[in-house]
Amino acid sequence: MLHIDMDYFFAQIEEIRNPEYKNKIIAVCIFSGRTEDSGVISTVNYEGRNVGIKSGMPIVNAKKLAKSGIFLPADHKYYESISQTIDGLIRSNCTKVEKSSIDEWYALAEDEVETGKRIKLEILNSTNLTCTVGVAHSRLGAKMASDKAKPNGFLILGKEKERNLIDNSPVEKIIGIGPKTKDELNELGVKTVSDLRGLNQFILIEKFGKKTGAWLYNLGIGIYDSEIEERIEKGEFSRIGSLKENTREKGKILEKIVELEREAKEELKYSKKFYKTLTLIFITEDIKMHTKSRSFSKPRGEKETNLDEIKKLMSEFLDNERKEVRRVGVKFSGLVEMDGQTTLF
Ligand code: DCP
Ligand code: CA
Ligand code: CA
């Protein structure tokens, strides 16, 4: 299993977007608006972490620690669009993918070490952002590997190393063990995961319930979860891919879009959906994302061809943009059920 986690995500995005702030403390803030500085720190770059700024800290306190720091408002929409680009990239390299937060993914692939390296490189090439990749046999192991290797790291854990890392970990470091469970375990004399090993299965189940109790017992004896929960984004289907080289040539761009459209339509077909909106995505050489959409009054299915619309949207974009195109994508949204819809036609 692979675990991919972006490094100091929001702050790194701001570093890339504002190269003039290079080497400065950059903190992304969630301003509450009550007073000029009320609110908390969302995240901060390593320069800021080095002076003690942390996620969740009041902005006022953080400013005291970094007099000349740059404090920017969070631009969630923009971070989300970059997250989507990364998501598309991971999906095109892996057999199964679970997005677990705005900047984290679990994934399965044939050759995970090689795939992990490739994903790391592709993310860097298309967004200029670094991430950390962990490879292990379980979800927990992969996540712990990436946590340990941060930032800009790559860590592969074989079975034995994975077990050791988990065993020696304080229980509160394990995802799924909150403060309450931690206290209860501490009372039982359990400080690290390996301490769970001496405990009776039935006592654990009695104390923590069937599900958690059994999970804790398994954790102690080295049985870890390796399931992937594939959550396909319900509201849309999209595909993003890189052009062989940056270009403005219509023929080359069109060829790639048509290929991606075909792939996205496959998903549409499997999920038995019609769509009302077609969107073309263009990522230019400066890593900016642009979109062009067309909505249809009647939902379309996988059989309808969009070649005319694609050509038109592509020309509209290229006529107004002088930069070269680096990546392109196709998105179907405004989805409606095929079954419910057929009666309408
Ligand atoms: N985030 C937030 N509030 C928090 C934690 C995180 O707003 N309490 C946001 C900002 C982060 C993003 O979510 O950039 C991802 O969260 P992570 O916990 O992965 O933190 P970072 O990516 O910032 O740091 P790291 O490099 O340690 O993963
Ligand atoms: Ca992160
Ligand atoms: Ca994260």
Side-chain angles (χ1 to χ4, degrees), residues 3-6 9 100-105 143 147 150:
H3 182 257
I4 301 142
D5 189 338
M6 300 305 297
F9 192 44
S100 63
S101 80
I102 191 166
D103 81 329
E104 258 174 67
W105 292 261
K143 164 88 176 157
D147 277 351
K150 266 177 199 190

Side-chain angles (χ1 to χ4, degrees), residues 102-302:
I102 191 166
D103 81 329
E104 258 174 67
W105 292 261
Y106 290 95
L108 299 178
E110 259 159 44
D111 182 335
E112 291 178 340
V113 172
E114 212 220 87
T115 307
K117 283 184 189 154
R118 192 168 58 239
I119 288 174
K120 206 165 145 49
L121 200 66
E122 283 188 17
I123 292 177
L124 186 67
N125 284 339
S126 57
T127 64
N128 278 328
L129 298 169
T130 63
C131 65
T132 297
V133 178
V135 184
H137 291 272
S138 68
R139 285 175 77 89
L140 184 59
K143 164 88 176 157
M144 289 185 78
S146 73
D147 277 351
K148 199 175 153 79
K150 266 177 199 190
N152 198 6
F154 191 93
L155 181 61
I156 307 156
L157 294 179
K159 272 229 156 103
E160 206 173 320
K161 285 217 173 104
E162 176 181 40
R163 177 87 192 258
N164 274 331
L165 187 64
I166 296 175
D167 261 358
N168 292 322
S169 167
V171 285
E172 64 271 25
K173 286 271 157 70
I174 303 294
I175 315 165
I177 299 184
K180 194 167 156 252
T181 310
K182 181 215 165 199
D183 288 345
E184 286 176 313
L185 285 170
N186 286 172
E187 274 168 36
L188 290 172
V190 176
K191 290 253 179 322
T192 66
V193 172
S194 62
D195 297 332
L196 282 166
R197 194 141 55 246
L199 295 185
N200 183 295
Q201 185 170 185
F202 300 103
I203 291 176
L204 283 169
I205 288 175
E206 197 183 287
K207 205 162 167 67
F208 299 99
K210 202 170 168 188
K211 207 173 153 214
T212 306
W215 173 69
L216 287 170
Y217 180 76
N218 282 338
L219 191 63
I221 61 171
I223 298 177
Y224 315 127
D225 179 17
S226 56
E227 293 286 304
I228 286 262
E229 214 180 290
E230 240 178 333
R231 263 172 275 156
I232 296 169
E233 287 208 20
K234 289 217 182 70
E236 57 189 43
F237 289 114
S238 62
R239 273 279 183 275
I240 296 182
S242 292
L243 294 161
K244 287 203 189 75
E245 57 201 36
N246 293 358
T247 182
R248 291 183 42 79
E249 242 178 78
K250 283 190 177 165
K252 285 188 184 155
I253 298 173
L254 182 66
E255 190 187 355
K256 188 72 193 175
I257 294 177
V258 168
E259 177 194 318
L260 295 166
E261 194 219 12
R262 204 181 312 121
E263 292 178 18
K265 272 188 171 160
E266 279 299 304
E267 288 195 358
L268 206 62
K269 188 166 127 190
Y270 284 123
S271 68
K272 300 196 167 58
K273 295 271 169 65
F274 281 114
Y275 58 92
K276 284 193 278 196
T277 305
L278 163 75
T279 302
L280 298 190
I281 300 160
F282 300 92
I283 296 157
T284 39
E285 55 190 335
D286 52 351
I287 327 279
K288 290 221 168 71
M289 189 189 265
H290 313 260
T291 57
K292 284 273 170 202
S293 302
R294 163 86 206 266
S295 289
F296 308 102
S297 47
K298 264 193 198 164
R300 294 189 167 203
E302 42 113 3

Side-chain angles (χ1 to χ4, degrees), residues 5-11 30 41-44 46 49 55-56 101-104 150-151:
D5 189 338
M6 300 305 297
D7 301 325
Y8 61 103
F9 192 44
F10 298 177
I30 302 170
I41 301 297
S42 165
T43 195
V44 60
Y46 278 80
R49 290 178 195 199
S55 288
S101 80
I102 191 166
D103 81 329
E104 258 174 67
K150 266 177 199 190

